[in-house]
Amino acid sequence: MEQTIQLQTPKKFDRKNFALLVFSQIISVFGIGVLRFALPLYILVESGNPALFGVVLSVPLITLLIATPIGGVMADRVKKHRLIFWLDLITTAIVVTFMLLHGLFTALPVVMVVLLLLHAIQGLFSPLVDASVPMLAPQEKLPVANSVVVVIHTLSGIAAPAIAALLFDNFGLFPILIVGAVAFAISTIIDLFLRIPYQKQVAEKSVLKTVGSDMSKALKFTFREKPIIAKTGFLIFAFAFSITALFVVGFPVLITQHLGLDVGLVGISQSISMVGGLIGSIIAGALGTRLKLGQVWLLMVNVGVAIITIAIIFMFDLSSTLTFIVMTLAMAAAMLGMQMFVIRVWSFVQSQIPTDQLGKVMALILTLPILAGGLGQLLFGFLFAELADMVWVVILGSAVITILMSFWTGYIFRKSTTLETAIADKQETEQDIGVQQ
C-alpha cells in the first residue's frame, strides 16, 4: 500500500496541452538524439581512442549537472511553456551556428563547445518536462502519462541513432546537423501553442539567493521529510553508473573496435536495444500501480542477468555476427526491465512531492544519474582501453553492481511499503476508535 500526498494536480486530463508537449518532445528529443550520437562518434572515428571517446561523452555532462538544479528552480517559478519555447529556439540557433563554422576549426574543441551547450540546455529542459506532466495529468494517471513520455523518448531514441549512423556512414557529419536544426525549428513552432498551468511564487532579492533557498528546501524535503526519495535517488545513481555507461561507451567501442564491424551497426544495435525499452515502457504504463514497488527489484535482477550474458559471449572467440546479435538482444532485454523499473519508481517519486516543489526536487534527483553517467563513462572508457584483451571483465563488473543494487532495492521498497501499511493501519484504527467514542 502506497501513501501519497494530495497534490494540486488537475482533476481532468488536459489532453490538448499534453499532446502538444508530447509532439514537441518527439521532435526535440529526436534532434538532440542525432546530435548526441553523431558528435562523439565523429571524434571516436577520427581518433580511434576509446579513452578520448569517454572524455567527449562525459565532460559535457558537467554543464548538464550544473544546469539541471537551475532548471528545477526555474520550472517552479516561471511559465514552463515559455521557457520550453526559448530553449528550443536557442538550440536551433546553436546548431545553425555550428553548421556555419563546421570545417573552419579543429574538430575536437568545436565539438566539445557544442556538446557543452547542448547538455546545458538539456539540463534546463528535463526538469521542465518532468514537472509539467503532473500539472497536466491527474495523479491516478501519472504512470500512464509518464509511460507516454518515456515511450516518446524511446521512439526518438530508436530512430535517432539508426538515422544518424546511416547518414554518418554515407554522407558524414553535415547532413546530421541539418536534421538537428530542422527538428528543433519545428519543435519551436509547436511550443508557441503550448500552455502549462502556472502559479507564481515569491522570490528572493537575487537570483543566486533564490536558487540557494529553493535547493535548500529541496534537500531538506528529500533527505529529512521524505528520505525514501533520497534512497531512490541513490538507486538511480547506481544503475546509471553500471548500465547507462556500459550502453553509451561500451557498445560503440565493442562493435567498432573489438568486433570490427561498421559504425552504422552501432546505431542499429542501440536502436534495437531501445525497442526493448519501448516494450518495457508500454508494459509499465499498462500495469500502472499493479506493478508493486516491492517487486521492482526482480526487474533489475533480470537486467543484471542480461548483462552477464553479454560478458559470457565476449569470453569466447565467436564470430562477430553471432556476438553482435547476442549482445544486442541481451541489451534489449536489459532495457525492457530498466524502463519498467524507471517508470514505476519515477511515478512513485512524483506522487510524493508537492506541486510547488516538483521542479526543484525532481531536478535534484535528475542530477544523480547525470553525475553517475559522467563518472561511469570516464571509468568505462578508461577500462575498455586498458583491458582491451579482457573486455568481459568490465562487462561482468557492470552486472555485479546491478545485481547487488537490485537486492538493496528490494530491501528499501519492501521496508517502505511495510512501514506505510503500518501507518495506514494505525490511522484507520484511530479513526475507528474516534467513531466509537
Side-chain angles (χ1 to χ4, degrees), residues 154 243-244 247 270 272-281 303 306 328-342:
T154 307
I243 301 168
T244 306
F247 183 67
Q270 291 191 345
I272 293 173
S273 299
M274 294 188 75
V275 170
L278 174 63
I279 295 171
S281 302
V303 171
T328 300
L329 293 178
M331 184 54 75
M335 293 297 288
L336 187 151
M338 183 71 176
Q339 289 294 64
M340 289 183 67
F341 171 84
V342 168

Side-chain angles (χ1 to χ4, degrees), residues 382-398:
F382 173 78
L383 291 176
F384 276 118
E386 292 297 315
L387 300 174
D389 296 329
M390 296 188 300
V391 291
W392 63 270
V393 174
V394 183
I395 303 169
L396 188 61
S398 171

Side-chain angles (χ1 to χ4, degrees), residues 141-338:
K141 295 292 184 180
L142 277 179
V144 176
N146 282 318
S147 175
V148 171
V149 173
V150 173
V151 165
I152 293 310
H153 278 255
T154 307
L155 283 172
S156 296
I158 291 169
I163 293 174
L166 181 64
L167 291 173
F168 186 86
D169 214 16
N170 291 281
F171 305 105
L173 183 63
F174 196 77
I176 297 173
L177 300 179
I178 296 175
V179 171
V182 171
F184 284 110
I186 295 173
S187 182
T188 302
I189 295 173
I190 296 174
D191 295 338
L192 288 170
F193 304 94
L194 179 64
R195 294 294 181 271
I196 299 170
Y198 166 70
Q199 183 178 358
K200 188 174 182 179
Q201 296 186 30
V202 178
E204 301 289 342
K205 292 182 179 180
S206 70
V207 175
L208 289 177
K209 286 184 178 181
T210 298
V211 173
S213 174
D214 282 5
M215 293 314 298
S216 176
K217 292 177 182 177
L219 285 167
K220 180 181 177 181
F221 178 84
T222 302
F223 286 92
R224 292 186 181 179
E225 298 178 29
K226 279 287 180 180
I228 184 63
I229 295 179
K231 294 175 182 178
T232 303
F234 180 73
L235 290 173
I236 294 172
F237 175 94
F239 289 132
F241 181 86
S242 62
I243 301 168
T244 306
L246 175 64
F247 183 67
V248 173
V249 176
F251 266 45
V253 172
L254 293 171
I255 291 171
T256 60
Q257 297 190 1
H258 291 272
L259 299 182
L261 299 175
D262 293 336
V263 68
L265 290 176
V266 176
I268 293 173
S269 178
Q270 291 191 345
S271 295
I272 293 173
S273 299
M274 294 188 75
V275 170
L278 174 63
I279 295 171
S281 302
I282 295 171
I283 294 173
L287 290 175
T289 55
R290 286 177 292 175
L291 176 59
K292 303 301 182 184
L293 280 173
Q295 299 172 343
V296 294
W297 70 279
L298 294 171
L299 294 171
M300 299 312 298
V301 170
N302 290 331
V303 171
V305 171
I307 296 174
I308 289 175
T309 303
I310 301 175
I312 291 174
I313 202 71
F314 273 95
M315 291 181 184
F316 303 97
D317 188 18
L318 303 176
S319 71
S320 297
T321 302
L322 178 60
T323 303
F324 174 82
I325 292 172
V326 172
M327 69 179 288
T328 300
L329 293 178
M331 184 54 75
M335 293 297 288
L336 187 151
M338 183 71 176

Side-chain angles (χ1 to χ4, degrees), residues 22 66 114 119 127 140 188 213 261-262 265 285 292 299 324 347 350 383 403 409 418 424:
V22 166
I66 294 171
V114 172
H119 281 72
E140 65 274 10
T188 302
S213 174
L261 299 175
D262 293 336
L265 290 176
K292 303 301 182 184
L299 294 171
F324 174 82
S347 298
Q350 284 177 323
L383 291 176
I403 291 176
T409 300
T418 299

Side-chain angles (χ1 to χ4, degrees), residues 2-9 139 142 221 225-226 229 348-355 357:
E2 294 172 26
Q3 279 192 326
T4 56
I5 298 171
Q6 296 299 316
L7 307 180
Q8 300 171 2
T9 49
Q139 189 173 336
L142 277 179
F221 178 84
E225 298 178 29
K226 279 287 180 180
I229 295 179
F348 167 73
V349 169
Q350 284 177 323
S351 72
Q352 302 297 300
I353 307 171
T355 51
Q357 295 196 60

